[in-house]
Amino acid sequence: MPTKQLTEIDPNIKIESPPVMGIESGLLDEMLDAGIAEVSDYIGLHAYGGQISENRFGHPWRVLESRGIRKPLAISESGSINEYCNGSQYETEDCRRRWFAYFGQQLKRFGYDHALLFDLDGHDSWAVAPDFNPTKTYQQIKDLSLNEALSNADFESDNNVETGWTPFDSNDVWILEGASPYVSFVRNDNSGAHGGGGYVKLNNGDASPDTPVSVRRIVGQLPKGQKVKIGAWVYVNGKASATLKALGYDYRNGDAEISATSTKKNGWEYLEIEVPISRYWTVIELGTSGTGNSGDYVKWDDVSID
C-alpha cells in the first residue's frame, strides 16, 4: 500500500525501509540511490556483534550524508551470541550481557531512533531467554535504563560501568573483560580531586599514541528542542590534551558532535559546550588520547548540565 494511503488511514503510521542485513551493507547505498528514502520515514538496518563498534556503527549516517539525506535510523534486528566472547560459559555469558549494555550506549551515542532485539524464546545461541527462561543477558536488557538524568557527576559514589560512566576505547576490551586497563574511578582522594574526593582518571600514558581513551554516560530527561550547557573540570598531566564532547543529540545526524578541548597543563581547567537537544538525550564523553609516555594521565571531575 502506498505511503500516502497508509497515512490517510492513520497519520501516526510511520514507514521503515526494508532493513539491510548488515550495518555496512552496500545494499543500503543501492536502495538509497533507487529512492527508498523518498517513501520511508525511517531507514532500516540490522546490527550484530562487532558491527556496533565505534568505527562501524556510524557508517549508515555517513552513507546518508554523502547523498544529502537526513532520515532517522532504526534497527529492526540485533543481538549477540556467547561465541563472540572467549572463556568459560560463565565468562562468555557475562561478556554477552555487557554487549547489550554497550549496545544501549551506542544506540544513544549515534542517535538511533529505536532498536528491536533478537530473539526472546528461541533454542539456539541467539536466544536471550530460551523457552522464556530469563538469563543474565535477559535481566541486563530488562534492567537497562537509557533515559536517566545525570547522576554521580562528581564521581563521589561507586560507579557501575554497565549503567553509569562506561569506559570506551578503540577496541572491545571492556566488553570482553569487563574493565578498561586505562580507566580508574578514584574515591577518597581529597587532594587529587577538583572537589570532594572522587574523580575519573584516564591513564593515557599506558595507551599507544593516539589511541582514544574515554568514559561516556547517557544523559536523559533533557528538554527537547532546546539547548543545554554541559561543563566539566579537567586536569591534564603530560603530553596529551583532553576533550569534552556531546554525542547523539541530533537524531538526523548521529555522527554530529560538539566539543571543547583543554589548553592548560598541570592545573584544573573548566570546559563548557552548548548542545541543541533534538529528542531528550545526549551522551557525554570525557576523553583523551594515548601518548605511550609512562606517567601521563588526565583527570575529570564535577560534570554539570544547565
Side-chain angles (χ1 to χ4, degrees):
M1 183 178 291
T3 303
K4 184 178 179 181
Q5 288 181 250
L6 287 171
T7 55
E8 286 175 350
I9 295 171
D10 184 345
N12 295 314
I13 290 176
K14 301 296 181 184
I15 307 300
E16 178 184 330
S17 67
V20 296
M21 292 182 63
I23 207 74
E24 297 158 310
S25 172
L27 182 58
L28 176 60
D29 301 66
E30 297 178 27
M31 291 170 63
L32 292 171
D33 291 339
I36 194 68
E38 298 173 14
V39 293
S40 304
D41 299 295
Y42 298 94
I43 302 301
L45 307 156
H46 288 184
Y48 290 95
Q51 293 179 17
I52 69 170
S53 63
E54 193 73 5
N55 62 330
R56 303 178 69 182
F57 212 38
H59 176 78
W61 288 118
R62 296 187 285 274
V63 171
L64 292 176
E65 182 181 26
S66 69
R67 290 161 172 77
I69 299 171
R70 289 301 183 201
K71 292 274 185 174
L73 300 183
I75 293 179
S76 55
E77 196 172 294
S78 57
S80 184
I81 56 177
N82 287 16
E83 288 86 341
Y84 174 67
C85 306
N86 298 316
S88 67
Q89 182 178 355
Y90 177 87
E91 291 169 330
T92 56
E93 181 63 16
D94 273 350
C95 170
R96 186 185 186 208
R97 176 177 53 79
R98 287 190 294 269
W99 185 94
F100 282 95
Y102 181 88
F103 183 49
Q105 281 262 3
Q106 290 292 75
L107 287 172
K108 294 292 189 178
R109 178 263 178 269
F110 282 105
Y112 279 72
D113 188 86
H114 62 273
L116 300 178
L117 306 181
F118 176 86
D119 68 37
L120 180 64
D121 66 336
H123 303 278
D124 60 17
S125 55
W126 291 104
V128 296
D131 295 323
F132 297 101
N133 270 326
T135 61
K136 286 190 290 185
T137 295
Y138 173 85
Q139 294 297 340
Q140 173 75 294
I141 295 168
K142 181 176 178 291
D143 294 339
L144 280 179
S145 299
L146 303 180
N147 188 31
E148 292 186 339
L150 178 64
S151 62
N152 199 21
D154 53 9
F155 301 99
E156 298 299 316
S157 303
D158 286 334
N159 181 69
N160 184 334
V161 295
E162 296 177 18
T163 58
W165 294 96
T166 301
F168 275 80
D169 49 43
S170 59
N171 53 42
D172 294 336
V173 171
W174 178 77
I175 298 179
L176 299 175
E177 300 181 10
S180 167
Y182 313 124
V183 177
S184 54
F185 295 91
V186 180
R187 297 181 64 200
N188 303 315
D189 181 9
N190 296 76
S191 62
H194 173 261
Y199 55 89
V200 61
K201 184 177 182 181
L202 308 180
N203 298 295
N204 54 359
D206 296 338
S208 300
D210 302 321
T211 299
V213 179
S214 67
V215 294
R216 292 179 183 166
R217 174 126 201 188
I218 301 169
V219 181
Q221 302 180 31
L222 296 178
K224 181 180 178 179
Q226 298 184 37
K227 292 183 177 181
V228 299
K229 291 183 178 179
I230 300 174
W233 287 88
V234 64
Y235 185 106
V236 176
N237 175 76
K239 294 182 177 181
S241 60
T243 302
L244 167 67
K245 290 183 180 181
L247 309 162
Y249 54 85
D250 186 344
Y251 82 108
R252 292 181 182 269
N253 181 11
D255 254 355
E257 61 180 51
I258 296 174
S259 64
T261 299
S262 64
T263 59
K264 186 176 181 179
K265 301 286 186 181
N266 303 318
W268 287 100
E269 179 181 3
Y270 181 70
L271 301 179
E272 186 177 82
I273 52 180
E274 188 173 65
V275 184
I277 304 300
S278 66
R279 285 295 178 90
Y280 54 82
W281 77 83
T282 189
V283 172
I284 297 175
E285 178 181 280
L286 311 177
T288 184
S289 56
T291 66
N293 185 41
S294 181
D296 286 1
Y297 62 83
V298 167
K299 297 188 291 187
W300 288 95
D301 200 359
D302 295 330
V303 182
S304 61
I305 294 185
D306 296 309

